[in-house]
Amino acid sequence: GKEKWPRGDENVWKEGSRSVNTDVSSVTKSIVNHVQTSLARQAYNLDNLGAYQAAALSVRDDLILNWNETQMHYTRKAPKRAYYLSLEFLMGRTFDNALLNLGLKDQYREGVTKLGFNMEDLLEQERDAALGNGGLGRLAACYLDSSASQELPVWGYGLRYQYGIFQQLISPEGQQLEQPDPWLAGGENPWELPRLDVSYEVRFYGTAERLPDGRALWQGGQEVLAVAYDVMVPGCYTKNTNNLRLWESKPKRGFDLNSFNAGDYEHAVESSNSAAAITSVLYPNDHTNNNESRDRSQLSYTHLVGKELRLKQQYFWTAASLADIVRRFKNIGKPFSEFPDYVAIQLNDTHPTLAIPELMRILIDEEEIPWGKAWDIVTNTVFYTNHTVLPEALEKWPVPLMEHLLPRHMQIIYDIVLHDEGFSCKVHRQAVLLKSTVLTKSSAVEKKFPGDRDRLARMSLIEEGFPKQVRMAHLACIGSRKVNGVAELHSDLVKTTILKDFVEFEGQSKFSNVTNGITPRRWLDQCNPELSALISKTLKVDKSVWLKDLDRLKGLLPYAEDVEFRKEWAAIKQRNKERLAHHVETTLGLTVNTNAMFDVQIKRLHEYKRQTLNILGVIHRYLTLKQMSAAERKKVNPRVVFFAGKAAPGYYIAKLTIRLIVNAARIINADPDTRDLLTVYFLPDYSVSLAEVLIPSSDISQHISTAGTEASGTSNMKFCLNGGLLVGTVDGANIEIAEAVGENNVFFFGHLTPAVEDLRYQHMYRPVPVEEKCPALAKVLDKISGGMFGDGGVYEPLLNTIRQNDYYLITEDFDSYIGALEMVDQAYLDKEEWIKKSIRTTANMGKFSSDRAILEYAESFWSIEPVKVT
Ligand code: Z15
């Protein structure tokens, strides 16, 4: 039925209401209005930054209208919703993306031109929102874009860090230096809505006292406030504009007035500082949780050394998000038994695993629901995505720290151990008092596998040791409805390695795969507008269609045979190379040879990703070139190799790899014999925005992890979508990309996953010297030790990782790697055939749209449906 108008004169409201600016004149009016009012400036004193801000505020107004309508619509319809809990959202810039999704880029370009500005200059003014480390955080951002574009009622929940991932500087010696990233310092962030009215209290420390009825009273300790900031997430060619809610921590009261009045000012502000500290900075560790040798934190990050703040971040965020989710559910007025019919919660890795005990706490202690029913609700609501099988990246929290910071949650975790494994209440109480994993010997596991003590120890939520530690992946697994990996191979590895015992205990059906995806809006239309336009022209469909139905790219296949089309395709790649060269020239003052093949490896620095293999291969190439005659060199295909990526501040070996790359580049680039044939660049401060310039320019990109170590990879998808060919190992999503584009269009090398374990074993117990195993590599290592790239001694710790254990199997894969690069050179000689490969690669990448991935989550896990805003 029609609702009654809530207040005042309906017509006055209707007349006053504005709609989205869709034509150039309303765009310019809106921008000028913001210049004059919001910025209090005029045409006379407006610079690029001011013009960007005014234009951004104008787009913000449009977004707010759509966002408001969407949220109202979702509230009215009350569909089942999904919540994506991620400690990282690596959003990058918003302005261009919002304009493209709204379909207003042309109007704004024309508008700002009329106002005397250049659109490209304005786009460059925006700082990246870099609230993430790498793949995991960028995946979350792609999934938000796809949820909105597919009109799915999905919200993201994260933290509003004051400082994003550190800015990377490279010293003249090649050392990585870290600088803070105060991304909000420039004043207002136009892409968020502060919701000071939406806030929750979050408790830490204190005491938890069990009550006879099974509940507990958690009291005392520290209370802080979580305040909501809403980031608008526009869908592509739809009104649907979803929400990313980021929490900021605040002291509950400004400062402790008692201490203040007693003259103890330091103590007075101490508690308020410690509250604000919770959301001050993103942790820069990527895959580097529990490894001492990789965590010798250095000066600028000493305040992060203690792990307590990281656990505080995790609880603060999950507690605020769950309070918000539960409050929204209660507004619907349904009984809690129906909670899983209205709410799905996706855990992005184990970082939000505390959502499981926290939801139990809310249901039991606050809603007075008995244990069994509460556990049913939780295990039908929560879903867990695993992103790595590397042992050092699996989260574990010391029991003493958990007991201190979250006493009630630790009780609940012990109770899960006992209940889930079927203990009676009396035994359970004793166990809780003893806090002993001896009592995790459950009847259920015991019944299924009698006498298998090793299995019980392996499966326990609590790892024995000093201290004992809670295994978050085990908790996430038993507390979830479904567990998934992020590519076929990786999902199989999850089932056969880290969660093998759980598969044997609970059965296969809980475990599945959702291969990652990327949004074609940012990673094709936005970063490669010329290619996007060529695709629309060729397919004779508007991009609003194929960008949301990426399998349509298949329609490009016949054009691989079309000479004219190939010419246009190659010309666009060439202009993208020139765009990158221009960027390098203006930012670093370096000249890049745009007549060369562009070879790119851009990702976090990590031993398993093997940037070392790449740089050792480059040095091998250099040595080979040096030995050639001038005549031989004439036949060589020129190559420019780009690296970019950040190392965790305490990851010594990764930093040393950067140093080797930078110093090798310095020597190689200065050599007149080879300068036209081989140059190397390490581009500092890798970011989403830098990726947007690099990816469209590549001829080949490298994804060369030791087989079985890269869960998926997503930049591999971005390069291939932009017609760059893949050089890689048989790992992660590389495998599915090869399946999709055809093995003859990728360059695979290296040992396969099943061989890796055996080879490592051999390296441990029957080591073979590098000289014997791989003479070509030995020569490269000798040159480095001998000082070809500066004091050789500096690199010994890095080279020794290869000479000694060679855990990541550089010596095993080096020859076949060099072989693959030779195949690349061969293939590149036939320019026309190469372009065909490039076209066919793009044409077959439809599967890797994050729209496909998010729809798999929506349909097979969450059971949510599109809710279109009309
Ligand atoms: C991260 O970026 C990834 C996994 C992790 O466990 C952490 Cl802590 C950070 C990456 C994977 O390494 C990458 O292979 C995958 O594509 C990405 O997550 C998204 O699933």
Side-chain angles (χ1 to χ4, degrees), residues 451-755:
D452 194 345
R453 295 181 64 90
D454 288 349
R455 178 182 298 270
L456 288 170
R458 286 198 309 267
M459 288 181 73
S460 179
L461 289 191
I462 297 173
E463 184 178 274
E464 288 298 333
F466 305 96
K468 290 183 176 141
Q469 308 210 78
V470 182
R471 294 163 166 158
M472 302 310 270
H474 291 194
L475 180 54
C477 175
I478 67 168
S480 294
R481 176 104 199 71
K482 294 267 185 195
V483 177
N484 76 286
V486 292
E488 294 286 354
L489 171 68
H490 167 66
S491 297
D492 286 342
L493 288 172
V494 167
K495 288 196 285 184
T496 54
T497 62
I498 57 170
L499 297 180
K500 181 168 188 268
D501 294 321
F502 294 87
V503 177
E504 287 169 9
F505 184 62
E506 303 195 49
Q508 291 274 339
S509 64
K510 178 166 176 174
F511 300 87
S512 63
N513 170 252
V514 179
T515 299
N516 284 165
I518 55 165
T519 169
R521 273 72 67 178
R522 181 176 297 262
W523 298 113
L524 178 49
D525 187 41
Q526 181 184 321
C527 70
N528 201 345
E530 285 199 56
L531 197 66
S532 174
L534 176 62
I535 291 168
S536 299
K537 186 179 90 179
T538 309
L539 296 178
K540 301 182 185 71
V541 277
D542 195 79
K543 68 180 183 181
S544 61
V545 175
W546 64 263
L547 279 175
K548 293 170 85 166
D549 180 9
L550 204 62
D551 284 325
R552 288 198 177 236
L553 290 177
K554 284 253 190 294
L556 295 173
L557 279 174
Y559 295 90
E561 308 306 324
D562 178 330
V563 196
E564 278 311 305
F565 181 77
R566 287 206 298 272
K567 240 191 222 155
E568 288 188 75
W569 190 270
I572 290 168
K573 183 63 79 186
Q574 188 57 34
R575 284 195 290 277
N576 286 329
K577 288 185 182 181
E578 274 146 25
R579 181 177 68 165
L580 172 61
H582 180 250
H583 180 89
V584 172
E585 174 104 50
T586 51
T587 56
L588 302 173
L590 302 169
T591 316
V592 177
N593 174 11
T594 56
N595 295 318
M597 168 188 276
F598 278 22
D599 170 345
V600 185
Q601 188 181 21
I602 48 177
K603 46 185 87 238
R604 283 298 289 249
L605 265 288
H606 200 295
E607 285 164 285
Y608 88 79
K609 294 178 188 281
R610 300 200 294 190
Q611 282 92 353
T612 25
L613 181 57
N614 188 346
I615 191 61
L616 296 172
V618 166
I619 294 169
H620 176 267
R621 191 178 183 83
Y622 174 63
L623 298 177
T624 311
L625 285 171
K626 286 294 275 183
Q627 286 182 342
M628 287 180 176
S629 66
E632 281 175 311
R633 280 187 202 141
K634 281 221 163 65
K635 287 184 245 156
V636 172
N637 164 33
R639 189 184 293 234
V640 181
V641 183
F642 294 96
F643 289 88
K646 293 174 183 177
Y651 193 168
Y652 173 68
I653 294 293
K655 286 185 150 180
L656 206 46
T657 307
I658 295 179
R659 200 160 166 186
L660 177 59
I661 296 168
V662 171
N663 286 305
R666 197 164 41 78
I667 301 299
I668 294 171
N669 296 356
D671 191 331
D673 292 347
T674 57
R675 159 88 238 173
D676 295 336
L677 300 179
L678 180 63
T679 44
V680 185
Y681 300 92
F682 185 93
L683 305 184
D685 202 32
Y686 181 49
S687 65
V688 169
S689 290
L690 184 56
E692 289 171 19
V693 187
L694 277 160
I695 288 168
S697 79
S698 88
D699 294 303
I700 57 169
S701 69
Q702 302 208 27
H703 309 274
I704 57 178
S705 49
T706 312
T709 62
E710 188 69 274
S712 164
T714 43
S715 77
N716 44 6
M717 302 170 189
K718 296 166 193 170
F719 283 102
C720 290
L721 184 59
N722 285 276
L725 304 189
L726 183 148
V727 174
T729 46
V730 186
D731 199 15
N734 291 355
I735 299 169
E736 288 159 75
I737 292 174
E739 265 164 31
V741 307
E743 283 225 24
N744 51 335
N745 294 320
V746 304
F747 301 91
F748 267 160
F749 72 94
H751 286 285
L752 307 185
T753 302

Side-chain angles (χ1 to χ4, degrees), residues 134-137 139 286-287 289 349 351 387-388 393 486 516 608-609 710-714:
L136 171 142
L139 183 75
D286 191 85
H287 289 103
N289 292 303
D349 216 305
H351 314 147
H387 294 267
T388 185
V486 292
N516 284 165
Y608 88 79
K609 294 178 188 281
E710 188 69 274
S712 164
T714 43

Side-chain angles (χ1 to χ4, degrees), residues 98-246:
L99 286 176
L100 289 164
N101 278 3
L102 288 164
L104 293 174
K105 178 92 184 258
D106 292 340
Q107 290 88 322
Y108 270 78
R109 182 193 299 282
E110 200 180 324
V112 302
T113 308
K114 283 189 169 163
L115 294 170
F117 291 90
N118 174 280
M119 191 65 178
E120 265 56 53
D121 293 341
L122 299 202
L123 295 174
E124 283 297 310
Q125 298 301 310
E126 184 177 356
R127 280 184 88 123
D128 276 32
L131 309 185
N133 275 290
L136 171 142
R138 183 55 231 178
L139 183 75
C142 284
Y143 282 172
L144 291 182
D145 181 85
S146 282
S147 299
S149 298
Q150 295 298 322
E151 300 166 335
L152 293 167
V154 176
W155 275 29
Y157 276 108
L159 290 181
R160 184 178 184 268
Y161 305 105
Q162 300 286 330
Y163 296 90
I165 186 68
F166 63 84
Q167 289 185 321
Q168 180 193 53
L169 302 180
I170 303 295
S171 79
E173 302 79 49
Q175 304 239 47
Q176 169 179 290
L177 304 173
E178 297 94 25
Q179 296 268 288
D181 165 41
W183 70 295
L184 293 164
E188 286 227 340
N189 170 9
W191 312 116
E192 68 182 7
L193 300 161
R195 302 295 303 272
L196 306 184
D197 53 322
V198 180
S199 79
Y200 300 93
E201 291 174 5
V202 177
R203 184 186 308 282
F204 297 104
Y205 313 106
T207 56
E209 184 197 335
R210 288 182 181 272
L211 302 176
D213 60 0
R215 297 161 62 214
L217 219 52
W218 182 24
Q219 292 171 306
Q222 178 190 21
E223 279 182 283
V224 303
L225 273 189
V227 180
Y229 284 75
D230 287 347
V231 179
M232 297 163 283
V233 181
C236 176
Y237 297 102
T238 167
K239 219 184 235 185
N240 285 57
T241 301
N242 280 346
N243 195 28
L244 165 58
R245 182 156 282 180
L246 301 180

Side-chain angles (χ1 to χ4, degrees), residues 35-54:
V35 171
Q36 293 180 325
T37 60
S38 312
L39 305 183
R41 295 169 86 167
Q42 301 162 6
Y44 301 99
N45 63 359
L46 194 67
D47 53 9
N48 278 335
L49 180 59
Y52 155 69
Q53 283 167 335

Side-chain angles (χ1 to χ4, degrees), residues 684-849:
D685 202 32
Y686 181 49
S687 65
V688 169
S689 290
L690 184 56
E692 289 171 19
V693 187
L694 277 160
I695 288 168
S697 79
S698 88
D699 294 303
I700 57 169
S701 69
Q702 302 208 27
H703 309 274
I704 57 178
S705 49
T706 312
T709 62
E710 188 69 274
S712 164
T714 43
S715 77
N716 44 6
M717 302 170 189
K718 296 166 193 170
F719 283 102
C720 290
L721 184 59
N722 285 276
L725 304 189
L726 183 148
V727 174
T729 46
V730 186
D731 199 15
N734 291 355
I735 299 169
E736 288 159 75
I737 292 174
E739 265 164 31
V741 307
E743 283 225 24
N744 51 335
N745 294 320
V746 304
F747 301 91
F748 267 160
F749 72 94
H751 286 285
L752 307 185
T753 302
V756 167
E757 209 185 322
D758 291 349
L759 289 167
R760 280 180 177 162
Y761 188 87
Q762 286 173 30
H763 280 248
M764 289 286 277
Y765 298 102
R766 269 187 293 118
V768 179
V770 183
E771 293 70 41
E772 270 172 55
K773 175 131 289 176
C774 183
L777 176 62
K779 202 170 146 199
V780 173
L781 301 188
D782 286 346
K783 287 287 180 188
I784 299 168
S785 290
M788 186 175 233
F789 309 108
D791 179 2
V794 167
Y795 303 110
E796 285 310 288
L798 170 61
L799 305 183
N800 284 340
T801 63
I802 299 166
R803 292 182 184 126
Q804 286 160 13
N805 276 356
D806 192 21
Y807 188 74
Y808 294 105
L809 304 180
I810 305 266
T811 54
E812 296 292 341
D813 282 349
F814 189 78
D815 289 333
S816 90
Y817 175 62
I818 298 299
L821 292 179
E822 277 163 12
M823 303 276 280
V824 169
D825 282 324
Q826 271 302 316
Y828 201 66
L829 290 177
D830 187 345
K831 283 278 142 57
E832 292 305 314
E833 198 51 41
W834 184 273
I835 301 166
K836 286 184 193 174
K837 284 182 189 292
S838 169
I839 295 166
R840 289 181 188 135
T841 297
T842 299
N844 286 309
M845 286 300 290
K847 168 179 171 185
F848 301 96
S849 170

